[in-house]
Amino acid sequence: MKRKRRIVFLAWLLIGLGLLNTGTVLAKAEGTELIQAPHGVLMEASTGTIIYEKDMDTRVKPASITKIMTLILIFDEIEKGSLHMEDEVITSAYAKSMGGSQVFLEEGEKQSVETMIKCIVIASGNDASVAMAEHIAGSEGAFVEKMNERAKGLGMENTNFEDCCGLTESDNHYTSAHDVALMSRELVTKYPKILDYSSIWMDTITHVTEKGTSEFGLTNTNKLIRSYDGCVGLKTGSTSVAKYCVSTVAVRDGITLISVVMTAPDYKVRFKDAAAMLNLGFGSCSLYVDENKKPLSDIAVEGGVKEELACDYEGAFRYLDTKGAALDQIEKKIKQKDKVKAPVKKGDLAGTAEYYLDGKKIGSVNLRFREGTKKAGYSDYVEKVWERFWKGKQAV
């Protein structure tokens, strides 16, 4: 037993000194005891790479971490233009009746969407969550259906929601550490605006009701906001059944990590475990990013109305390394089509940009046509001949 402890101590000492490179395998090794909670996962946000996991796919109770999906749906509506930050949301009697963590909204009380978001992500307001669900979908039940549809779209295979706030103790309301990481990643990468709110330590809202006007203080339930360098979110949860959970987001040196802890025995272990995984990640990860801003050559089109078409990278390329590789040695090879036949549609594949490290392919990015062209007809050829004739005549 003493020998085992010495090995564990030595491993973490080497990690701390930067002499040992860690990856998923090392992090999963039995006996390291990185976290005390039974379920956890550490994910790099931009690539979705899992750096560490402990029983991450077991179904567990999510408590208020449920609200991450609620926030995704809220921002989905904002992106669609059907909801705006300044829109007023009216609290129903049902929303007011929610127990647990709340911001004490009164029936008929009006608050802006932005204020409701703050109430949900900072103070974990159950009443605010239900008020938003009703505002968007008409009822909490209809909203929950949307939550489950969205979860399926994200590949959350071990998740089913029965309410929008996590207050329920139903056995049919469950998720997993992995699924929490997936929806956390969706929220913070697609809607980074949420981090402006989840990183707030304290704020106030103003209740305006028949009883008068009063201020109510919001205090962030995520204590790592103040105690962990780079922490910017995201959501905590706790009930007697779910115990203590947290999805923590932290950013350092351009790397965004998501640390999820589920079913911790107490709140101290919840935050300690989340910080331990973040330390592991920031201590062992390097991120290579190619934004792919350099213009690409046009591609010739055979038999088209347009004789050349421009193309673009589908997006940036990101590669996460946990083994201390020399990322400055990454090679990029562009494999672009020399010529294509019309017709060509906008978005058709125009080639790939491939990336290699030590001779091994580590990833690629597709190249897509920026525009399309139809197949040239008789009149198009006549027009081309006529244009060339006049250009030649003007040059004489």
Side-chain angles (χ1 to χ4, degrees):
M1 185 67 179
K2 289 182 178 179
R3 172 180 169 80
K4 183 179 179 181
R5 287 176 179 171
R6 284 198 298 270
I7 292 172
V8 172
F9 173 77
L10 178 59
W12 288 114
L13 177 61
L14 289 170
I15 291 170
L17 294 174
L19 300 176
L20 182 64
N21 298 314
T22 61
T24 304
V25 176
L26 174 63
K28 287 178 65 176
E30 294 182 6
T32 56
E33 297 177 354
L34 176 62
I35 65 172
Q36 183 180 338
H39 314 286
V41 64
L42 178 67
M43 176 185 286
E44 194 281 318
S46 67
T47 62
T49 302
I50 294 173
I51 303 162
Y52 169 90
E53 66 96 357
K54 180 180 179 181
D55 199 15
M56 68 177 182
D57 290 315
T58 295
R59 294 179 177 181
V60 295
K61 304 295 182 185
S64 285
I65 283 184
T66 298
K67 296 183 177 83
I68 293 173
M69 183 58 75
T70 298
L71 289 163
I72 290 175
L73 264 61
I74 291 172
F75 278 90
D76 281 348
E77 295 301 316
I78 292 172
E79 184 184 50
K80 285 189 276 186
S82 57
L83 188 69
H84 306 87
M85 286 290 187
E86 63 275 14
D87 290 351
E88 286 190 331
V89 179
I90 302 174
T91 304
S92 69
Y94 175 65
K96 176 190 180 301
S97 72
M98 293 296 107
S101 56
Q102 54 188 306
V103 293
F104 300 98
L105 298 170
E106 292 291 334
E107 181 181 358
E109 181 177 345
K110 298 177 182 178
Q111 294 287 356
S112 69
V113 168
E114 183 174 37
T115 297
M116 290 294 197
I117 290 172
K118 289 181 180 181
C119 291
I120 295 169
V121 76
I122 299 173
S124 197
N126 294 326
D127 45 2
S129 298
V130 174
M132 283 303 307
E134 293 177 331
H135 183 79
I136 290 172
S139 69
E140 184 183 19
F143 187 82
V144 170
E145 288 181 9
K146 291 177 177 289
M147 292 172 68
N148 286 318
E149 288 175 10
R150 195 69 160 82
K152 288 180 182 178
L154 291 175
M156 296 168 62
E157 298 177 354
N158 292 297
T159 295
N160 187 72
F161 298 113
E162 287 214 332
D163 73 8
C164 67
C165 59
L167 193 60
T168 179
E169 293 187 353
S170 168
D171 289 337
N172 205 35
H173 186 87
Y174 53 83
T175 189
S176 67
H178 187 197
D179 284 359
V180 171
L182 289 175
M183 66 176 174
S184 298
R185 182 190 181 214
E186 175 74 357
L187 180 58
V188 302
T189 58
K190 189 170 184 178
Y191 305 119
K193 177 70 176 176
I194 189 62
L195 300 177
D196 293 342
Y197 303 111
S198 63
S199 58
I200 296 172
W201 174 241
M202 298 183 75
D203 205 345
T204 58
I205 65 170
T206 302
H207 290 297
V208 180
T209 68
E210 294 179 352
K211 298 176 182 178
T213 301
S214 62
E215 286 193 343
F216 181 81
L218 306 178
T219 301
N220 205 312
T221 56
N222 184 2
K223 307 309 176 188
L224 292 177
I225 293 294
R226 287 207 307 174
S227 64
Y228 192 87
D229 181 32
C231 182
V232 290
L234 179 63
K235 193 71 199 71
T236 62
S238 64
T239 64
S240 59
V241 177
K243 297 185 181 180
Y244 293 85
C245 319
V246 66
S247 177
T248 304
V249 177
V251 182
R252 290 184 188 174
D253 300 322
I255 296 177
T256 301
L257 298 180
I258 299 168
S259 177
V260 178
V261 177
M262 303 298 287
T263 328
D266 59 54
Y267 74 92
K268 291 182 179 178
V269 170
R270 165 177 68 183
F271 294 131
K272 181 182 177 182
D273 284 355
M277 286 192 285
L278 291 172
N279 287 340
L280 173 65
F282 287 125
S284 61
C285 292
S286 296
L287 184 65
Y288 174 87
V289 180
D290 183 356
E291 295 292 350
N292 287 323
K293 300 294 185 182
K294 189 176 179 180
L296 294 162
S297 302
D298 291 348
I299 296 177
V301 180
E302 184 179 309
V305 174
K306 296 177 182 177
E307 297 181 351
E308 288 185 331
L309 290 176
C311 59
D312 297 310
Y313 293 96
E314 199 168 48
F317 173 76
R318 290 177 172 82
Y319 174 72
L320 186 74
D321 173 68
T322 60
K323 300 180 180 180
L327 299 186
D328 59 345
Q329 297 300 308
I330 291 177
E331 294 182 71
K332 177 180 180 180
K333 298 179 181 179
I334 297 177
K335 297 184 177 180
Q336 193 174 0
K337 294 181 179 180
D338 296 323
K339 183 184 289 187
V340 292
K341 288 186 177 181
V344 178
K345 294 180 181 178
K346 178 181 178 181
D348 279 354
L349 188 66
T352 58
E354 298 179 348
Y355 295 82
Y356 294 83
L357 180 60
D358 296 329
K360 181 181 177 181
K361 184 179 176 181
I362 58 172
S364 63
V365 173
N366 287 328
L367 312 180
R368 301 284 181 182
F369 283 105
R370 188 186 305 167
E371 55 187 344
T373 185
K374 63 181 182 178
K375 198 170 184 178
Y378 176 78
S379 60
D380 296 308
Y381 285 114
V382 170
E383 186 176 342
K384 286 180 182 182
V385 171
W386 187 251
E387 285 178 359
R388 289 171 184 167
F389 170 77
W390 276 107
K391 283 180 182 179
K393 191 172 182 180
Q394 289 171 355
V396 173

